[in-house]
Amino acid sequence: MKIALIGYGKMGKAIEAIAKERGHEIVLTIDVNNQQDLTVENLEKADVAIEFTIPSSALQNYLLCFDSGVPVVSGTTGWLEKKDEVLKAMQQKDGTFFYASNFSLGVNLFFALNKKLAELMKNRSEYDITMEEVHHTQKLDAPSGTAITLAEDLFDIHPGKTSWTLESPSQAEQMHIEAIREGQVPGIHRIKYESEIDYIEIEHSAKSRQGFALGAVLAAEFSAGKKGLLSMNDLLNL
Ligand SMILES: NC(=O)C1=CN([C@@H]2O[C@H](COP(=O)(O)OP(=O)(O)OC[C@H]3O[C@@H](n4cnc5c(N)ncnc54)[C@H](OP(=O)(O)O)[C@@H]3O)[C@@H](O)[C@H]2O)C=CC1
Ligand SMILES: O=C(O)C1=N[C@H](C(=O)O)C[C@H](O)C1
């Protein structure tokens, strides 16, 4: 495939390496220094765009991709307050938008484990629930997009929690998320169920960005010829 990379930071570089290993061609690379090159004309040279930038840039990048008719695969987090605007534009332009807060197979298995544990624990009110995520010090958003996905999936199943907070909870229904920024940590997520007697904890820890990058390239391959909103559940059939 011909790939346009939008965002050439830690993830853009990791994706470039895996894409080339899989025989794909990078026909456009956009970072902050050449944003003027992100045009419909240039995007049309690609079969797919892979976008990993910053929360404040994602929407404008998606809109340009929808205008170009090129499918966009994005992992950028921290923009979900604009989700309705993105989906409306995608529908209006008959676009293709593959979004995942986390593209790694391991985390998507962890998403499934989170749901199963929430089912098991939903009537065990003696256990309180907290979450922790740990990432590198360059991360701009908190909590992580992965943590928000985990929390929202849990709220859909477990009646004891309905919202999250980074602060100390003021109500029993609030789940505390501890967002820790440390060194160069690629990404750790923990969910703990704790009672007076014991605690149960599940954890996913990324050793590098390889899993995220491979998942994004597989999502780009999967998106070819498809329309609408796509997710890792479509790709992995979990
Ligand atoms: N879904 C997933 O599996 C994963 C998602 N992520 C998410 O992806 C995003 C990027 O992560 P990461 O690569 O580590 O971050 P980086 O900061 O390393 O890379 C982002 C790059 O995008 C550049 N950029 C900013 N605005 C624009 C723009 N308008 N057009 C083009 N480039 C732009 C930044 O430049 P500058 O630094 O000058 O601002 C930077 O070089 C984050 O939101 C992160 O949460 C990360 C890993 C996995
Ligand atoms: O910023 C990162 O690095 C990551 N961000 C994503 C998130 O916000 O969940 C995915 C992964 O945890 C790495």
Side-chain angles (χ1 to χ4, degrees):
M1 300 180 82
K2 298 182 185 297
I3 296 175
L5 281 181
I6 307 175
Y8 197 57
K10 295 182 287 292
M11 280 303 299
K13 294 179 176 69
I15 288 164
E16 178 186 50
I18 288 182
K20 287 180 174 176
E21 281 174 18
R22 294 179 64 85
H24 301 304
E25 179 187 0
I26 307 298
V27 295
L28 182 66
T29 301
I30 303 292
D31 210 339
V32 279
N33 304 316
N34 71 329
Q35 287 180 62
Q36 69 279 4
D37 295 338
L38 186 61
T39 63
V40 169
E41 183 184 7
N42 283 337
L43 277 168
E44 286 173 341
K45 298 172 185 172
D47 299 312
V48 63
I50 302 180
E51 196 271 359
F52 283 75
T53 60
I54 62 176
S56 59
S57 298
L59 173 63
Q60 70 195 41
N61 292 334
Y62 301 158
L63 296 180
L64 259 171
C65 291
F66 298 155
D67 284 341
S68 72
V70 172
V72 53
V73 171
S74 178
T76 303
T77 56
W79 57 268
L80 289 182
E81 75 279 2
K82 298 174 183 168
K83 183 178 181 180
D84 291 344
E85 186 177 352
V86 171
L87 296 181
K88 183 179 177 183
M90 179 198 74
Q91 288 161 352
Q92 286 175 338
K93 300 284 186 175
D94 193 27
T96 306
F97 183 53
F98 193 128
Y99 172 75
S101 59
N102 203 301
F103 278 95
S104 79
L105 171 62
V107 165
N108 281 271
L109 290 167
F110 190 68
F111 285 153
L113 180 61
N114 171 48
K115 293 175 187 174
K116 287 191 184 296
L117 186 54
E119 279 289 347
L120 278 172
M121 300 299 282
K122 66 184 180 182
N123 297 316
R124 310 305 327 177
S125 58
E126 66 270 34
Y127 285 88
D128 191 22
I129 314 169
T130 56
M131 195 175 290
E132 185 176 279
E133 55 98 341
V134 187
H135 286 87
H136 52 89
T137 55
Q138 301 87 38
K139 187 166 181 58
L140 298 177
D141 53 321
S144 67
T146 301
I148 293 171
T149 300
L150 288 162
E152 291 179 346
D153 286 347
L154 191 153
F155 301 157
D156 286 345
I157 296 167
H158 194 298
K161 295 296 181 183
T162 58
S163 65
W164 57 263
T165 176
L166 293 171
E167 312 303 327
S168 297
S170 56
Q171 302 163 349
E173 298 77 20
Q174 285 186 315
M175 181 178 73
H176 177 65
I177 300 180
E178 189 69 25
I180 300 168
R181 298 294 171 259
E182 181 184 307
Q184 297 306 317
V185 175
I188 302 170
H189 293 86
R190 300 185 182 100
I191 302 163
K192 178 185 275 188
Y193 290 77
E194 185 163 15
S195 74
E196 290 297 320
I197 294 170
D198 58 7
Y199 70 81
I200 303 163
E201 188 172 43
I202 59 174
E203 174 181 308
H204 177 275
S205 182
K207 295 181 178 179
S208 72
R209 292 181 174 82
Q210 288 298 95
F212 310 141
L214 175 60
V217 175
L218 293 175
E221 294 169 3
F222 177 81
S223 298
K226 294 183 175 68
K227 287 290 184 186
L229 180 63
L230 301 170
S231 73
M232 289 301 282
N233 290 337
D234 297 310
L235 176 61
L236 298 175
N237 290 317
L238 282 179

